[in-house]
Amino acid sequence: MSDLGPKMDTEEQGSAGVLLKNGTVLDYFPAELGAAADPLVETCDLRMSGERIVERGQGLEPHPEDEVIDLAGATLMPGNVNAHGHLYGALAAGMPQPTSALETFTDILTEVWWPLDRSLDADAVYLSALAGSWDALRCGTTLVFDHHASLACVGGSLDLIEKGIAEVGLRGCLCYETTDRGGKGQRDMTLQENERYLQKVADGPKSGVPRFRGLVGAHASFTLEERTLELLAGICSKMDSGIHIHLAEGTTDREVSQDRGWKDPLDRLVDFGLVRSGSLFAHGVDLSPIDMQTLEEKGAWLIHCGRSNMNNGVGRAPVDRFPVNCGIGTDGLDDNMWGELRTTYFRGNEGGRGPMGFSGSDRFWLGNYRLAREIFGEAFGSLRPGSPADLIILDNFQKTPLNDGNWMGHLLFDFHPWDINTVFVGGKKVYQSGDKPPVEALKLQETAARIWIAMGMK
Ligand SMILES: [Zn+2]
């Protein structure tokens, strides 16, 4: 992990910025780096300059040419992070359902998601990223870990997603879902796309807060041959990157392994050195206690996608056994992280007060920021000087007291996307309530209709 220490330079401290006065500041990581501290709520001022928060305290004075915004007590907090999503899922909103019954998870993949990703062309990739990012922004989500597949448009697809995300003003960690579903030729294109994008990011700006990062993407163990895992491991090693892959999303992953005479999915990935710090596994519904121990020991990340699991009927992930490095993702449903957290908590309580609780919710929520810190090398989730100025300001209507002891209760039962007044990313105002979507995003309607027809959904 990179050094997360204060990264301000004198230019950032001295240049014109934005002074937020009298905010009720919810800071998820209020301590000096390396020191442990629980999230904190305090009334104070924040000054942003360049891409970062540069001052925090009571009664801060504006610098010449600063914009001054009096929040009059309005709540503000770090921008939300989605640890596993698929922006192309924006195309599935309202999509006609297949006429055949979807009885199993495999049916859902073969009748819905795989026909969709096979049909995506360049326009669909870009416009879904643009429209999906706009939706994310309106939910206060400022950083997305995207997991992309578009078998008819592989080369350059990650650039198209980057363009859509950047035009809205978010940050992203991108990858392409390598798979053997399309044969060797197509597999090689997907591998190349991952490596090409990782090299592009590595060759990018060396200063400032990174806007984009990459991982080595792969679909899931059950669509990957042994040789492909070997090639993926080679790229991870060459590019010093972890992998981003679905793991044990229901029993299909393990059942296919058994049919093919392979080891269980996690053991296969361990054998190729893919289970390591910086690697990101989504779902983990069908993992044993020993598997969870392995993930813990390897320092890998396991991302819970509760709403997706419910939607696909793949079972209930054992959230009480998830490793320390855990988070939550929406898996393409949307980028509403408060909604995801809320549903995860409710499901934890369903059938009796279950394993989530407030403390369980804390570790999944804060885990998303710890993951972002590990991959980007920046102090996301903190509102201390030196941190990236990615933050949400709510309308000035805090119905009940917000304090150090009840912040999770507000995330679970209080905050909604319609409460969001303003979003800043990298010190720049990227959204204000009432803003209109990017004009280009309106073209998604026409594109979606065309893609649905190409899929045979009428
Ligand atoms: Zn997914």
Side-chain angles (χ1 to χ4, degrees), residues 165-188:
I165 293 173
E167 285 178 3
V168 170
L170 309 186
R171 302 183 198 278
C173 179
L174 311 186
C175 70
Y176 190 99
E177 297 179 37
T178 297
T179 178
D180 283 298
R181 278 164 43 212
K184 181 173 175 302
Q186 216 162 39
R187 174 205 69 185
D188 290 347

Side-chain angles (χ1 to χ4, degrees), residues 29 83 279-281 283 292 295-296 299-305 318-329 344 356 359-372 374:
F29 294 90
S279 278
L280 181 51
F281 300 91
H283 297 295
M292 293 296 188
L295 289 166
E296 178 79 51
W301 290 87
L302 185 59
I303 306 305
H304 180 45
C305 305
V319 289
D320 54 328
R321 296 204 302 263
F322 268 42
V324 168
N325 285 347
C326 63
I328 54 173
T344 302
M356 282 302 283
S359 60
S361 303
D362 288 7
R363 78 185 188 107
F364 279 84
W365 184 256
L366 299 179
N368 282 17
Y369 296 95
R370 292 176 44 241
L371 168 66
E374 183 171 315

Side-chain angles (χ1 to χ4, degrees), residues 3 19 30 39-40 71 99 108 111 142-143 165 179 230-231 247 255 259 291 295 314 327 334-335 387 398 417 438:
D3 172 28
L19 179 60
L40 172 79
L71 299 180
T99 49
I108 295 170
E111 300 299 322
T142 53
L143 197 168
I165 293 173
T179 178
E230 190 181 356
L231 292 168
L247 174 68
E255 288 164 358
D259 290 346
D291 290 336
L295 289 166
V314 293
D334 55 30
D335 286 271
S387 306
Q398 187 59 58

Side-chain angles (χ1 to χ4, degrees), residues 84 86 246 283 331:
H84 176 76
H86 306 272
H246 295 130
H283 297 295
D331 200 27

Side-chain angles (χ1 to χ4, degrees), residues 34 43 48 107 116 124 139 172 199 247 267 291 347 366 390 403 409 416 421 431 441 443:
T43 302
M48 303 182 281
D107 292 341
L116 177 61
C139 297
Q199 189 61 53
L247 174 68
D267 294 335
D291 290 336
R347 196 178 197 199
L366 299 179
D390 295 6
N403 56 50
H416 297 89
N421 183 287
Y431 174 75
K443 295 180 181 170

